[in-house]
Amino acid sequence: MARKVAVVGMGNVGATVAHYLVAGGFTDDLVLIDPREEKVVADAVDFEDAMANLEYHTNIFVNDYEALADADVVVSALGNIKLQDNPDDDRFAELPYTRVQVKKVATKLKEVGFNGIIVAITNPVDVITSLYQEITGLPKNHVIGTGTLLDSARMKRAVAKKLNLDPRSVAGYNLGEHGNSQFTAWSTVRVLGKPIEQIADQKGLDLVDLDKAAREGGFIVFRGKKYTSYGVATAAVRLVNTILSNALTELPVSNYREEYGVYLSYPAVVGRDGIVEQCQLDLTAEELQKLQVSADFIKQKFAESLEAADQED
């Protein structure tokens, strides 16, 4: 059966996701959606020009919402990156723009009868993931945000650099909001099979500094080139491939947690049916408190966005 993926929003992140999908041969049909007709057509032609030098062929479609009716995965990468250039490094600066655009996209998805999986990258991702689910009415396990899949990778990079290791030698999670209230759950982090606290004592690591490095890693990238792309696009494509291949992999993604009443990042098993199983970590009392604070923040922002949307109607 042919695999069909759509990317909505062909900015720096969306274009990188699309390129990764095409170059890796991860989908048979790729639908590109963007209101900038010249830009999205140019991307499509550029990808087609690459085909002769690739091992795989991908069928490219442009701005065809009807083609999304039978799509397996729709990736939301829409946004206005200029709004992220603010002194507070606040991802919520994009929300007044993205909530309006997401409503338009979600409404069209509902109109064409889309019943696949939504993967949201759009910031602020936890609130946006909630909005997609609210508007489309899709099952909660079929709407997923990339969440702290990226932030956990940033944590692994920071720890691995200090220990002169490959980041894949570090296991563990950042939890909560993909934003300023996230935190590294050090109780989950292992390096070469050993708890990070034990390694930290031996190597003199400062976990507070490493937590900050993970949380602020994206801002370092943003300040240098005024956008981020490779890290988050790789996280998104990994999530898409996990869904398409029914890999049943445990990933720290934004998923709806009943006990918190909100979407936030917490490990879950991901497969063809979206969130297949939710994990339960043995967190410390301090980590549980941090997670509650993050959940309350997301919940407040989601409620505010719904109220704003009602007023805009």
Side-chain angles (χ1 to χ4, degrees), residues 10-301:
M10 288 296 289
N12 294 304
V13 174
T16 305
V17 169
H19 176 255
Y20 196 174
L21 290 169
V22 170
F26 298 135
T27 186
D28 302 296
D29 297 336
L30 179 62
V31 185
L32 308 178
I33 304 285
D34 196 289
R36 299 166 299 170
E37 186 76 18
E38 288 188 359
K39 167 64 163 65
V40 70
V41 168
D43 280 329
V45 173
D46 215 1
F47 289 142
E48 290 171 345
D49 286 345
M51 296 283 177
N53 291 312
L54 292 174
E55 185 177 352
Y56 310 97
H57 178 83
T58 306
N59 302 306
I60 308 290
F61 305 88
V62 171
N63 282 349
D64 184 0
Y65 269 98
E66 293 295 331
L68 305 189
D70 62 347
D72 298 295
V73 181
V74 168
V75 178
S76 172
L78 60 87
N80 184 344
I81 195 61
K82 292 181 181 179
L83 297 176
Q84 291 284 8
D85 196 3
N86 63 82
D88 298 322
D89 292 328
D90 183 10
R91 291 179 175 90
F92 279 87
E94 273 196 272
L95 185 56
Y97 174 83
T98 54
R99 70 167 177 253
V100 173
Q101 302 306 312
V102 163
K103 184 175 181 179
K104 293 177 182 177
V105 172
T107 300
K108 288 182 179 179
L109 289 175
K110 189 173 182 179
E111 288 174 353
V112 301
F114 171 73
N115 64 353
I117 308 294
I118 293 177
V119 168
I121 306 174
T122 298
N123 275 321
V125 71
D126 303 289
V127 169
I128 291 301
T129 306
S130 304
L131 285 173
Y132 268 117
Q133 194 282 320
E134 177 83 11
I135 298 167
T136 63
L138 288 167
K140 289 183 173 68
N141 66 305
H142 285 182
V143 186
I144 309 170
T146 49
T148 60
L149 183 56
L150 173 58
D151 304 294
S152 298
R154 287 172 173 155
M155 176 272 292
K156 293 173 184 179
R157 180 258 303 158
V159 171
K161 273 189 172 294
K162 284 290 186 182
L163 298 175
N164 195 30
L165 292 170
D166 184 289
R168 291 171 296 183
S169 297
V170 181
Y173 304 114
N174 277 42
L175 303 177
E177 176 205 5
H178 174 59
N180 294 334
S181 70
Q182 68 166 280
F183 65 98
T184 302
W186 292 116
S187 67
T188 69
V189 180
R190 300 286 184 275
V191 181
L192 303 178
K194 297 179 181 179
I196 188 63
E197 290 91 347
Q198 181 179 338
I199 300 290
D201 290 340
Q202 293 172 350
K203 302 290 186 178
L205 301 181
D206 188 328
L207 298 186
V208 174
D209 282 349
L210 289 172
D211 178 76
K212 183 180 179 181
R215 187 171 59 255
E216 297 183 355
F219 301 129
I220 293 172
V221 175
F222 180 84
R223 291 175 193 131
K225 61 181 189 178
K226 297 303 180 183
Y227 62 91
T228 63
S229 54
Y230 303 127
V232 67
T234 301
V237 172
R238 183 185 182 192
L239 181 51
V240 169
N241 284 338
T242 300
I243 294 165
L244 292 176
S245 63
N246 195 32
L248 303 177
T249 303
E250 182 181 322
L251 299 172
V253 292
S254 188
N255 61 111
Y256 187 84
R257 297 289 302 200
E258 193 70 42
E259 68 269 40
Y260 294 104
V262 74
Y263 273 88
L264 53 74
S265 281
Y266 199 104
V269 177
V270 179
R272 189 79 183 181
D273 197 35
I275 301 298
V276 176
E277 182 179 352
Q278 293 184 312
C279 305
Q280 194 62 49
L281 301 173
D282 186 18
L283 300 175
T284 67
E286 181 182 4
E287 290 167 347
L288 287 170
Q289 177 59 30
K290 288 180 178 179
L291 189 58
Q292 186 65 61
V293 168
S294 195
D296 290 344
F297 179 75
I298 297 167
K299 190 180 297 185
Q300 175 193 341
K301 290 296 187 178

